Amino acid sequence: QKEVEQNSGPLSVPEGAIASLNCTYSDRVSQSFFWYRQYSGKSPELIMSIYSNGDKEDGRFTAQLNKASQYVSLLIRDSQPSDSATYLCAVNRAGGYQKVTFGIGTKLQVIP
Amino acid sequence: KAGVTQTPRYLIKTRGQQVTLSCSPISGHRSVSWYQQTPGQGLQFLFEYFSETQRNKGNFPGRFSGRQFSNSRSEMNVSTLELGDSALYLCASSLGSGSYNEQFFGPGTRLTVL
């Protein structure tokens, strides 16, 4: 079982729709969770971080965390063609050092 | 505030050679982590440096090494290059080391091994 699992996609949604990206993780002691956006040929860009159960909203983005189910998701409202990219889920385990594990990423295509 | 910078941006090497990559973190950031990204494996953690000390290491052979200087700049070295080392090498900086620190990536160094 991979430490961080994502469906590689592509996930296709029409412009203006809600895109729902999902991620599960295996390490129960994971404490912090991040979503990155990566455009083709570019480096990952941090979109959201979430540390406690529930929802966290930032503009058109909402991150959701459920530690009991070991599940984290990212919702993108009013999807735009410029949102077309690969979205990486990252999980950092507990401890006084960085050990961030990334999922393979979900490719999102927003169709105009 | 300037972002994370990496040099060089592109490198072409042949098998058996060695290479050194450089990373300058965001001003004030003391932690630098290195990652290897390939199409098949995704982003794989190499190691993290904080206050000139390696805090954590991923599952890579000893050919991969790094160091951090007192100004938080970091270098990564790969010796005896293999074809499979062709990848995008990314460094990420954060304020501190630990679970709740957000990491910000540099543009990466694209290494091609022939």
Side-chain angles (χ1 to χ4, degrees), chain B residues 11-70:
Chain B
L11 267 177
I12 299 176
K13 294 285 188 180
T14 56
R15 280 181 299 174
Q17 288 187 307
Q18 77 166 21
V19 67
T20 299
L21 313 181
S22 181
C23 172
S24 292
I26 293 170
S27 178
H29 284 196
R30 296 172 62 195
S31 171
V32 173
S33 296
W34 288 90
Y35 296 88
Q36 180 195 68
Q37 187 174 35
T38 58
Q41 297 295 317
L43 265 165
Q44 302 284 310
F45 172 77
L46 281 156
F47 28 66
E48 184 216 1
Y49 285 88
F50 178 77
S51 293
E52 302 179 65
T53 302
Q54 187 180 90
R55 297 294 300 274
N56 197 14
K57 190 177 191 307
N59 295 324
F60 279 82
R63 300 185 297 107
F64 292 83
S65 63
R67 59 178 175 169
Q68 187 181 34
F69 302 95
S70 58

Side-chain angles (χ1 to χ4, degrees), chain A residues 66-100:
Chain A
N66 184 327
K67 288 187 178 181
S69 300
Q70 294 175 239
Y71 176 91
V72 58
S73 65
L74 179 70
L75 301 177
I76 306 174
R77 290 182 299 280
D78 188 24
S79 296
Q80 301 297 309
S82 58
D83 294 326
S84 298
T86 297
Y87 289 80
L88 301 166
C89 172
V91 176
N92 201 352
R93 64 175 296 155
Y97 51 84
Q98 302 274 24
K99 190 185 188 307
V100 182

Side-chain angles (χ1 to χ4, degrees), chain A residues 31-97:
Chain A
Q31 285 191 331
S32 50
F33 308 86
F34 307 91
W35 283 99
Y36 287 84
R37 176 175 62 197
Q38 187 172 26
Y39 292 111
S40 180
K42 301 293 186 181
S43 62
E45 173 192 8
L46 180 66
I47 301 175
M48 297 276 287
S49 56
I50 186 166
Y51 308 123
S52 54
N53 282 329
D55 295 359
K56 179 181 178 182
E57 188 174 316
D58 184 0
R60 295 187 295 114
F61 299 97
T62 299
Q64 300 174 317
L65 174 60
N66 184 327
K67 288 187 178 181
S69 300
Q70 294 175 239
Y71 176 91
V72 58
S73 65
L74 179 70
L75 301 177
I76 306 174
R77 290 182 299 280
D78 188 24
S79 296
Q80 301 297 309
S82 58
D83 294 326
S84 298
T86 297
Y87 289 80
L88 301 166
C89 172
V91 176
N92 201 352
R93 64 175 296 155
Y97 51 84

